[in-house]
Amino acid sequence: MIQVRKRSVTFIPPGNAKHLIGDFSDWDKKPIAVDGPLTLEFPEGAYIEYAFLDSQGKPFADPDNPLKAQNPWWSYPRAIELPGFKTQETPHPAKTPEVRRHRMESKALAATRRYYVCEPSRPAEAMVLVQDGVAYYRTANLHLVATALEELGEIVPLRLVFIEPEDRQSEYWFNPGYEAFMLEELLPELERTYGDVTIKALWGASLGGLVSAWLALKHPKLFPKIAMQSACLTADPSGGDPYRDPEWLTSAYAANEKLPLRFYLETGQIEWLLAPNRRFAAMLADRGYPHAYHERPSGHNWMTWRQGLAPALRFLFGTWH
């Protein structure tokens, strides 16, 4: 059970709850012990996702809160909307675009890979390679937002390529095998099937944002535009802990010469990656990179990321350029 006020929530745990978890606790990384009502303060107008842990450490949903989170992977998170919470309306296209499904055998990854392609109604002027493709396609509806903005004349026609990983941690963690898959297998296959597009961009959330910025650092002329949503910037090539590793990528960009890149990045104010993303944005400002940075009163979740779809598309691919 919960009691909601303007800037705070009182969590009243059910009898079998031993810990409270959510974006505010890095989920199960820093669980909060509960033996009675617990009040936490949040940003005004915040959107919060949470769950409880039982005595075995197993997460479960608040039985008294029917508002389910928009989560494509877990069923137990519940959502809270504080007074003043507003969602940014996302445009909807007049005509739903066709999305074609593909599979390919990857030698670089020694596995089959799925990817979906959404072609615009006019010849594509840019191609966006989207990490965690199925979630961005099914949960976020990125293809619908892009199509609507194209219909309104606000962005150039885009080819969207939704790429689905098998093991996000290993593939997105500075993995040369994933790099080879993208450059030596996927891009040539897309060119053979759909034709080449000069401008190529990268898009991802969390670890997907990390690998997007890493690939752009290594191949700035190939990938001049990057969208990073709650990027997991606490990562090091020699590490493996997304909560405690040093911010290697920020340091690498700071030490490098300024590259011909344009960034859109955003993060939630209720997540462990807030400070690392602020530091990355500050580095971009110090180095003079064209970029936009936004914070939202929410956490590491799809509500946060869905709010940033249209702003990112307009900033990176707007017809005003």
Side-chain angles (χ1 to χ4, degrees):
M1 183 181 298
I2 55 173
Q3 295 176 350
V4 178
R5 297 176 180 83
K6 185 175 181 179
R7 291 194 55 140
S8 66
V9 178
T10 298
F11 298 88
I12 304 175
N16 59 331
K18 299 301 180 184
H19 291 86
L20 172 69
I21 59 174
D23 288 315
F24 47 84
S25 73
D26 304 349
W27 287 95
D28 60 350
K29 301 302 177 183
K30 300 176 182 178
I32 303 171
V34 289
D35 56 8
L38 173 68
T39 300
L40 299 177
E41 184 176 350
F42 298 99
E44 188 171 346
Y47 170 87
I48 304 146
E49 295 186 1
Y50 73 101
F52 293 106
L53 298 179
D54 63 18
S55 59
Q56 303 301 314
K58 183 179 179 180
F60 67 94
D62 184 345
D64 297 313
N65 184 353
L67 184 57
K68 294 183 178 180
Q70 299 177 19
N71 193 304
W73 299 307
W74 306 320
S75 61
Y76 54 80
R78 290 296 182 264
I80 303 169
E81 299 174 358
L82 291 192
F85 168 72
K86 295 180 181 178
T87 59
Q88 185 167 349
E89 293 295 328
T90 55
H92 196 84
K95 183 179 180 180
T96 301
E98 178 185 5
V99 177
R100 297 175 60 183
R101 295 164 171 77
H102 297 270
R103 287 182 178 270
M104 67 179 299
E105 296 298 325
S106 170
K107 293 182 179 178
L109 296 172
T112 302
R113 278 295 173 272
R114 291 182 292 158
Y115 65 95
Y116 301 168
V117 178
C118 179
E119 280 284 89
S121 58
R122 296 175 291 153
E125 296 184 25
M127 177 167 63
V128 187
L129 301 166
V130 184
Q131 323 306 327
D132 291 309
V134 170
Y136 266 106
Y137 166 49
R138 293 179 178 170
T139 302
N141 291 318
L142 176 58
H143 61 305
L144 299 182
V145 179
T147 301
L149 293 179
E150 181 197 343
E151 290 177 349
L152 294 170
E154 295 186 19
I155 65 171
V156 301
L158 299 177
R159 173 185 299 160
L160 300 176
V161 182
F162 299 96
I163 310 160
E164 183 64 7
E166 293 296 325
D167 184 336
R168 299 176 71 255
Q169 179 84 10
S170 64
E171 291 174 32
Y172 291 168
W173 201 281
F174 309 102
N175 187 338
Y178 189 75
E179 178 185 14
F181 160 68
M182 294 279 280
L183 273 62
E184 300 170 15
E185 298 177 335
L186 181 60
L187 286 178
E189 179 69 17
L190 290 167
E191 182 176 351
R192 286 191 294 268
T193 305
Y194 292 96
D196 191 26
V197 177
T198 302
I199 298 176
K200 300 176 179 64
L202 297 162
W203 192 305
S206 196
L207 286 171
L210 170 73
V211 72
S212 296
W214 176 65
L215 289 171
L217 176 67
K218 299 192 70 176
H219 308 280
K221 293 182 179 180
L222 182 61
F223 303 117
K225 299 186 179 187
I226 309 98
M228 303 162 61
Q229 299 189 280
S230 299
C232 184
L233 296 168
T234 49
D236 185 279
S238 61
D241 187 337
Y243 293 89
R244 298 177 180 84
D245 277 357
E247 296 164 31
W248 179 89
L249 192 63
T250 303
S251 298
Y253 268 99
N256 209 319
E257 62 181 6
K258 181 183 174 183
L259 302 171
L261 300 174
R262 183 180 184 86
F263 291 88
Y264 178 92
L265 62 154
E266 65 178 22
T267 188
Q269 294 174 327
I270 312 171
E271 61 171 300
W272 79 98
L273 292 168
L274 174 60
N277 275 269
R278 284 178 173 174
R279 286 188 281 269
F280 191 86
M283 178 276 300
L284 294 178
D286 287 343
R287 299 303 308 278
Y289 279 96
H291 72 285
Y293 173 67
H294 296 282
E295 294 178 2
R296 303 189 184 279
S298 49
H300 195 80
N301 55 57
W302 287 95
M303 177 63 79
T304 300
W305 303 331
R306 286 183 66 182
Q307 302 301 295
L309 300 183
L313 289 167
R314 292 187 184 104
F315 182 77
L316 295 175
F317 308 105
T319 52
W320 51 266
H321 286 188

